[in-house]
Amino acid sequence: MVELNVVTAGSADGPTLVFLHGVGNSLRTFTFAADALADRARVALVDLRGHGSSPRVPGGYDLDGYVADVEALLEGTGPALVVGNSLGGAVAWTLAQRRPDLVRAALLEDPPLRPADVGTVAPIFQVLQRQVRRWQDADVDAATVAAALGAMPVLGGRPASEVQAPEVLDARARGLLDVDPEALGAVADGSSLGALDLASPVTVPVRVLAAGEGTGSVLPADAVAALARTHPDVSVRRLEGAGHVIHDESAHRADWLAEVEALLQAA
């Protein structure tokens, strides 16, 4: 277990709302959410191990390690509403299974829920790990990385700069410059999320906001069908046309925020 870097904002009297990012990102990706929600909640933005300003843990990028860190955090803050994207969604799901006393409810943003589905993106992370090592070794600045990210094709071949705002690309660039490349490699080799469990019960309210199947989702239709069989109380909404990091996309951020607002209102 490591002590995570956490940035908090908002009212101490409101419910605690914890945000967990995906692999290669950092708490910067949710800064806009803290600005939007701090008047109604105590918002905690978290850097997962090996990301942002949290400690690197060579050889320690598996689901159990990620979960143990956040579990210790929630033991200090008390039960929380948890929002997680990708890896963060997998952590939130596993916490809801293992420690329902710490998770009041969860919103999972395009989470992988089966190890096999993580394998479908392994080649992407192999390439990304090599590129991140080159950027970090060359001490490339965030503006250069953001420009490279903005030129990359997403969502049917459009450059990312047409889909994501400049501050989104900057946050993503800084996340990649800070991340331990081993964390990316653990996704590529399958060790990061091999312990995902779609069978064990979840007794707290969980909502899933999935990306479009043809635009990068790691939650395919057969995974949703399996989830419906094992956890019929978990509701799923798929945003066709949305990419894997829904909250980063200008066209879909309002949908994402509406889901977070609903989570808060139900608390």
Side-chain angles (χ1 to χ4, degrees), residues 14 69 150 202 247 253:
D69 297 340
V202 173
H247 70 267
R253 180 168 284 184

Coordinates of all heavy atoms in Angstrom, one line a residue, residues 14 69 150 202 247 253:
G14 N -20.7 18.3 2.6 CA -21.3 17.5 1.5 C -20.8 16.1 1.5 O -19.9 15.7 2.2
D69 N -4.6 0.7 -2.2 CA -4.3 2.1 -2.0 C -5.6 2.9 -1.8 O -5.6 3.8 -0.8 CB -3.5 2.7 -3.2 CG -2.2 2.0 -3.4 OD1 -1.6 1.4 -2.5 OD2 -1.7 2.2 -4.5
G150 N -2.7 15.8 -30.0 CA -3.8 16.5 -30.7 C -3.8 16.1 -32.2 O -4.9 16.2 -32.8
V202 N -22.2 -7.5 -5.9 CA -22.0 -6.0 -5.6 C -23.3 -5.6 -4.9 O -24.4 -5.8 -5.5 CB -21.7 -5.2 -6.8 CG1 -21.8 -3.7 -6.5 CG2 -20.4 -5.6 -7.4
H247 N -15.4 11.7 -20.6 CA -15.4 13.1 -20.0 C -14.4 14.0 -20.6 O -14.5 15.2 -20.4 CB -15.1 13.0 -18.5 CG -13.7 12.6 -18.1 ND1 -13.4 11.2 -17.9 CD2 -12.6 13.3 -18.0 CE1 -12.1 11.2 -17.7 NE2 -11.6 12.4 -17.7
R253 N -19.1 15.7 -22.7 CA -18.9 16.0 -21.3 C -20.1 16.3 -20.5 O -20.3 16.0 -19.3 CB -17.9 17.2 -21.2 CG -17.6 17.6 -19.8 CD -16.4 18.6 -19.7 NE -15.1 17.9 -19.8 CZ -13.9 18.5 -19.7 NH1 -13.9 19.8 -19.5 NH2 -12.8 17.8 -19.9

